[in-house]
Amino acid sequence: MVNHAATEEAVVKETITVQNNTKKEKTNWITGGFYAMGEVGCQLSWYMINTYLTIFYTDIVGLSASAISLIFLVARVWDAINDPMMGAICDKTKTRFGKFRPYIMFSPIFLAIFNILTFTVFPLQGVMKVLVCMICYIGAGMAYTALCIPYQGLVNFIARDSQVRMDYASCRGIGSGAISMVLSAIAMPLILFFGHSENPTATGYFMTTVVFSLALIPCCLLCAWRCKEIAVPVEENVKPTPIKEALPYVFKNKNIMITVFSTFSGAMGCMARMSMLTYYVIYVIGNPMMIAPIFTTMTICQLIGNTTLPWGTKTFTKKGYMLITTFTQVAALVLLFLVPVNNMAFIIGVSAIIGLTMANGNIAPGMMCDSIEYGDWKYGVREVGLTFSLVSFSVKLATAVTGVVTVSLLAAIGYVPNAEQTEAVKVGINALVNLFPAAVIALSGISVLFYDLTPKKMEKIYADLDARKNK
């Protein structure tokens, strides 16, 4: 019988020895490709919730804006407890498969089940309908946490070099862009196909979710199979810091908090736009068949943008490339709001620019990896799972805040489901899709201005950490 623990320990020791001998770590693009499969699985799960849940709740389930806001609020309150708890559990986990891989192996089945339940229309009314929708949505969020936090934290253990980790994060982005391109092209056609209608139906949403949910399971298993945790630092062999002691140090780490806020505000801007984009195409442009071309253009360009991340972050640094792409996106959104919607070539062109710049969300994991090393260097605390739980929570908080704000603003501007909208409502929808995201994304860029982990500083941090280990 093979002693898996001894084998993995030998690999870890060999990896650490290579690093301490200052041999340059190289990116294994095959590993990067399998790491990207985990993101494909995550996107297969969250795409429907992120893109269609709001309109599913309003137009199919028939929930009011206040009911939707309540569901999102309760879910995020629970996430504030659940996400750090999951991160701490990951940090304390020790198995022959590693800290994070077991969760990537076993959580997808539960995520698939709750995704399907979330897009199920139950024969209920009143409070019971709201309650069941809330339970299903919270269950999907918990299952997503059990997959997403370990998946995000895994990059810290499959590589140690800052640029190699960024390369793997870029692979994750490429996986995200590729599957988003596919999903944006096929999601609405599948919804219409399964619903046997020219307009989205409950059956269409349900069956499409079933297909995507079943597909996410093998993707996650492939990621867990290939991506071995071989870069475990020496400190991981000691007793982890209790969460009540580690959390204050995580909050004191300004670069972690900048990355979390940037992730939150950037995600909020992108999600607000994506969740409202369907309304924009249907009611402002006035042609539901343009949903697929616009979404597909954006996701193709996002995929292309992700392929530029290794070059861009190496040439301009992570911070520099994040700033360039962020403020380019803001300018494109403002321009799209100002120009009339009767020029489809222009709309597609600007959507392409927005798609290219949306890839910058995958710079944040690389920034977070550096921030964790900084926390170890400055405070002696490197709770990877706990730290990435803040990222997971920030994204889900962004989803909730976006849902509450956009649904409330839709009601405020006078939107009436499944009806011809007035010109004032159309202008309001245009602002929700373009101006509101531009303002929030600009806040994300402003926060990054204060991020101070340069490549030169990271070299010193790694050298000091290695010196500490060798004492």
Side-chain angles (χ1 to χ4, degrees), residues 20-261:
N20 288 340
N21 288 334
T22 67
K23 182 177 179 180
K24 182 67 175 177
E25 187 178 4
K26 294 182 179 180
T27 302
N28 185 322
W29 295 106
I30 295 177
T31 298
F34 278 92
Y35 183 66
M37 292 302 296
E39 180 65 15
V40 171
C42 291
Q43 290 297 321
L44 281 165
S45 159
W46 211 243
Y47 181 86
M48 289 295 293
I49 290 177
N50 185 35
T51 307
Y52 292 111
L53 185 61
T54 301
I55 198 168
F56 174 77
Y57 276 165
T58 58
D59 291 13
I60 304 298
V61 181
L63 296 181
S64 65
S66 58
I68 298 171
S69 298
L70 176 64
I71 291 172
F72 289 158
L73 175 62
V74 173
R76 295 301 76 83
V77 170
W78 171 243
D79 283 338
I81 302 170
N82 179 60
D83 284 25
M85 186 188 306
M86 185 66 209
I89 290 171
C90 289
D91 285 326
K92 291 178 171 60
T93 298
K94 288 186 179 181
T95 73
R96 65 187 179 93
F97 299 111
K99 285 180 174 294
F100 297 130
R101 290 170 65 217
Y103 300 103
I104 301 173
M105 294 175 185
F106 300 114
S107 61
I109 181 64
F110 299 100
L111 180 56
I113 291 170
F114 277 103
N115 275 350
I116 293 169
L117 291 175
T118 299
F119 279 92
T120 299
V121 179
F122 296 94
L124 302 169
Q125 296 297 326
V127 175
M128 284 303 300
K129 179 166 67 173
V130 176
L131 182 61
V132 169
C133 287
M134 181 185 299
I135 292 171
C136 294
Y137 177 63
I138 290 175
M142 291 178 66
Y144 183 75
T145 294
L147 172 62
C148 182
I149 291 175
Y151 173 69
Q152 291 178 344
L154 183 63
V155 73
N156 273 66
F157 292 92
I158 60 176
R160 185 174 183 244
D161 181 81
S162 176
Q163 187 58 46
V164 174
R165 286 172 173 172
M166 186 65 242
D167 291 344
Y168 289 150
S170 300
C171 290
R172 171 188 171 187
I174 292 170
S176 174
I179 190 60
S180 295
M181 178 179 66
V182 173
L183 294 177
S184 65
I186 70 172
M188 183 52 68
L190 280 177
I191 291 169
L192 299 179
F193 170 77
F194 284 123
H196 304 289
S197 172
E198 294 182 356
N199 295 303
T201 65
T203 301
Y205 282 115
F206 175 81
M207 290 303 301
T208 303
T209 304
V210 169
V211 171
F212 293 168
S213 297
L214 292 177
L216 75 88
I217 298 173
C219 294
C220 294
L221 291 178
L222 285 171
C223 172
W225 169 68
R226 171 71 190 198
C227 297
K228 304 295 194 300
E229 298 181 21
I230 60 174
V232 182
V234 173
E235 286 85 354
E236 292 299 322
N237 295 321
V238 302
K239 186 177 180 180
T241 307
I243 185 172
K244 64 180 181 180
E245 297 179 17
L247 202 54
Y249 286 105
V250 172
F251 285 127
K252 284 173 64 176
N253 188 328
K254 76 167 189 176
N255 291 299
I256 286 179
M257 301 317 297
I258 288 170
T259 306
V260 169
F261 178 79

Side-chain angles (χ1 to χ4, degrees), residues 271-305:
M271 289 177 183
R273 189 167 199 277
M274 296 303 288
S275 64
M276 292 290 106
L277 192 54
T278 302
Y279 293 89
Y280 176 78
V281 178
I282 293 175
Y283 296 110
V284 180
I285 294 177
N287 185 0
M289 295 308 297
M290 287 305 299
I291 292 175
I294 291 175
F295 274 68
T296 302
T297 297
M298 291 177 60
T299 50
I300 289 175
C301 290
Q302 186 176 1
L303 174 60
I304 295 171

Side-chain angles (χ1 to χ4, degrees), residues 245-454:
E245 297 179 17
L247 202 54
Y249 286 105
V250 172
F251 285 127
K252 284 173 64 176
N253 188 328
K254 76 167 189 176
N255 291 299
I256 286 179
M257 301 317 297
I258 288 170
T259 306
V260 169
F261 178 79
S262 173
T263 300
F264 165 74
S265 50
M268 183 175 173
C270 289
M271 289 177 183
R273 189 167 199 277
M274 296 303 288
S275 64
M276 292 290 106
L277 192 54
T278 302
Y279 293 89
Y280 176 78
V281 178
I282 293 175
Y283 296 110
V284 180
I285 294 177
N287 185 0
M289 295 308 297
M290 287 305 299
I291 292 175
I294 291 175
F295 274 68
T296 302
T297 297
M298 291 177 60
T299 50
I300 289 175
C301 290
Q302 186 176 1
L303 174 60
I304 295 171
N306 278 307
T307 65
T308 71
L309 294 183
W311 165 81
T313 54
K314 189 173 182 179
T315 303
F316 301 104
T317 74
K318 298 180 184 73
K319 173 181 177 179
Y321 203 49
M322 176 68 88
L323 291 173
I324 291 170
T325 51
T326 295
F327 288 110
T328 299
Q329 184 177 163
V330 170
L333 288 168
V334 173
L335 185 62
L336 197 58
F337 171 78
L338 295 174
V339 175
V341 297
N342 56 5
N343 188 334
M344 288 309 304
F346 177 82
I347 292 175
I348 292 292
V350 177
S351 296
I353 296 174
I354 294 171
L356 284 168
T357 55
M358 283 173 61
N360 65 4
N362 291 294
I363 301 175
M367 294 169 59
M368 184 60 79
C369 289
D370 288 350
S371 300
I372 291 170
E373 299 296 336
Y374 171 80
D376 189 5
W377 175 72
K378 188 172 181 65
Y379 304 113
V381 174
R382 53 176 300 118
E383 301 299 300
V384 177
L386 179 61
T387 302
F388 274 102
S389 74
L390 298 180
V391 178
S392 173
F393 174 68
S394 72
V395 172
K396 287 194 285 187
L397 180 63
T399 305
V401 172
T402 299
V404 172
V405 170
T406 53
V407 168
S408 300
L409 290 177
L410 268 179
I413 64 177
Y415 167 75
V416 179
N418 303 310
E420 178 65 27
Q421 309 302 319
T422 66
E423 288 303 314
V425 172
K426 291 179 182 179
V427 172
I429 293 174
N430 193 1
L432 278 176
V433 171
N434 296 304
L435 278 191
F436 175 70
V440 180
I441 291 169
L443 289 177
S444 172
I446 291 170
S447 69
V448 174
L449 291 170
F450 300 95
Y451 183 87
D452 63 4
L453 295 181
T454 63

